[in-house]
Amino acid sequence: MVPIRSLLAVALAVTVTGVPALPARAARQAAVPVLVGIRAAHLPGLDRLVFEFRGPVPARHDVRYVSRLIADGSGRTVGAVGDALLQVRFDQADGHDRRGRVTYGPTRRTYALPGVVQVVNTGDFEATLTFGVGLARRVPYQVRTLTRPSRVVVDLTTSYRTVSVRDHFLDTTARSPRTAAVTRPVAPPATAYGALQRLFAGPTEAERARGLRFVSSRATGFGRLTVADGIARVHLTGPVDGGGSAFTIADQIRPTLKQFPAIRWVKIYDAAGRTGHPAGPSDSIPRSLAPG
């Protein structure tokens, strides 16, 4: 017979050696940085973009300009509004909790800043977290890390001059379809182009909370904007279709462009280059945007 004291000793040894395994695993999981916030603000001479993490600062991060944004896993192109695209990548970091819920807020967000136009998530897979940043211009930038709390900070130079323009979005709080104007900073002399670009970026989170929305009518952007003889010609991209609605993307483009003294008429073209009245001093839309 084995003495009771020996059995207790064996049991104690098993307990002592077996217990640390779970806390160690939990500690490793807790050590993986989790993104909990994205912020952007304008400071004198720069736009500051901040990624804040719970836990340590990611051990590896990479920030670089790219020609296009690619979704991790699928390899598909991810759209973001801007004349320059910055990719921000964090290795050994997550943007979701154990249930798969996003931990940092909207995965696509718009900013009313001189440089930063949009921030879009392009991947959160196998502890690799990637974002695309749409910028008004390609500018020098600096990256640094901070602690307490853990942050990765990207400072983007905005030494160029800007002027305020108005963009018009659908006001969903109104009883009948109408637009509400918001202001955006754009760099002259291409103020009409800048205003249209910001229109396609959509409202900020604060503006969305007020009920403002961008009605795209399935347009993915615009490929060309020309202004001559008082006529602005906007060439849309994507499968443009208003679905017979009385309110379409045209109702946002027209007031956005007509704020400029040089523009009296706006002609909007679909992706095939078609519009109802291509010639003469008049507004025009393609058949796909005509109300049903």
Side-chain angles (χ1 to χ4, degrees):
M1 177 179 293
V2 180
I4 294 177
R5 182 176 300 174
S6 298
L7 290 175
L8 290 174
V10 171
L12 180 61
V14 171
T15 301
V16 171
T17 57
V19 166
L22 287 177
R25 185 180 299 113
R28 286 195 299 272
Q29 292 175 344
V32 175
V34 177
L35 184 66
V36 294
I38 301 174
R39 303 186 298 275
H42 181 63
L43 302 174
L46 61 88
D47 279 357
R48 175 163 293 168
L49 181 60
V50 180
F51 297 87
E52 183 175 328
F53 292 86
R54 181 174 64 243
V57 175
R60 294 186 299 275
H61 58 267
D62 178 71
V63 181
R64 66 178 65 185
Y65 281 109
V66 294
S67 58
R68 67 188 183 107
L69 301 175
I70 302 174
D72 291 345
S74 69
R76 293 179 297 181
T77 298
V78 177
V81 175
D83 282 351
L85 299 173
L86 195 70
Q87 178 181 275
V88 181
R89 187 182 188 94
F90 305 104
D91 291 329
Q92 295 305 309
D94 287 332
H96 60 274
D97 61 18
R98 294 181 180 179
R99 295 183 179 181
R101 297 173 299 192
V102 174
T103 53
Y104 54 86
T107 58
R108 176 182 291 268
R109 58 189 74 195
T110 294
Y111 294 95
L113 302 176
V116 177
V117 180
Q118 277 192 325
V119 176
V120 180
N121 176 258
T122 58
D124 184 3
F125 181 67
E126 294 185 344
T128 298
L129 189 57
T130 314
F131 291 88
V133 184
L135 300 173
R137 288 186 176 184
R138 183 173 179 138
V139 296
Y141 62 88
Q142 292 184 337
V143 184
R144 56 198 173 98
T145 59
L146 300 171
T147 57
R148 299 183 181 179
S150 299
R151 287 155 289 165
V152 176
V153 179
V154 184
D155 285 339
L156 299 126
T157 301
T158 57
S159 55
Y160 46 86
R161 183 175 71 91
T162 61
V163 298
S164 292
V165 299
R166 297 185 303 276
D167 279 313
H168 291 256
F169 296 109
L170 172 66
D171 183 356
T172 61
T173 67
R175 292 185 177 181
S176 58
R178 70 175 187 182
T179 64
V182 299
T183 60
R184 294 288 188 267
V186 300
T191 50
Y193 172 86
L196 195 58
Q197 184 181 59
R198 297 298 182 119
L199 178 69
F200 275 87
T204 66
E205 290 307 303
E207 291 161 355
R208 287 185 63 84
R210 287 166 37 201
L212 302 189
R213 299 291 185 272
F214 173 57
V215 176
S216 69
S217 301
R218 300 186 67 192
T220 58
F222 66 100
R224 186 156 49 99
L225 168 65
T226 62
V227 179
D229 300 324
I231 301 174
R233 301 178 187 273
V234 182
H235 294 258
L236 300 178
T237 58
V240 182
D241 188 354
S245 173
F247 188 97
T248 70
I249 190 173
D251 296 290
Q252 300 158 111
I253 291 177
R254 281 194 292 258
T256 295
L257 291 180
K258 287 186 178 183
Q259 69 182 291
F260 302 104
I263 298 175
R264 293 187 59 195
W265 310 103
V266 176
K267 295 185 184 294
I268 301 172
Y269 297 76
D270 63 16
R274 297 169 298 202
T275 191
H277 303 283
S282 65
D283 290 336
S284 178
I285 58 173
R287 180 178 299 177
S288 59
L289 292 181

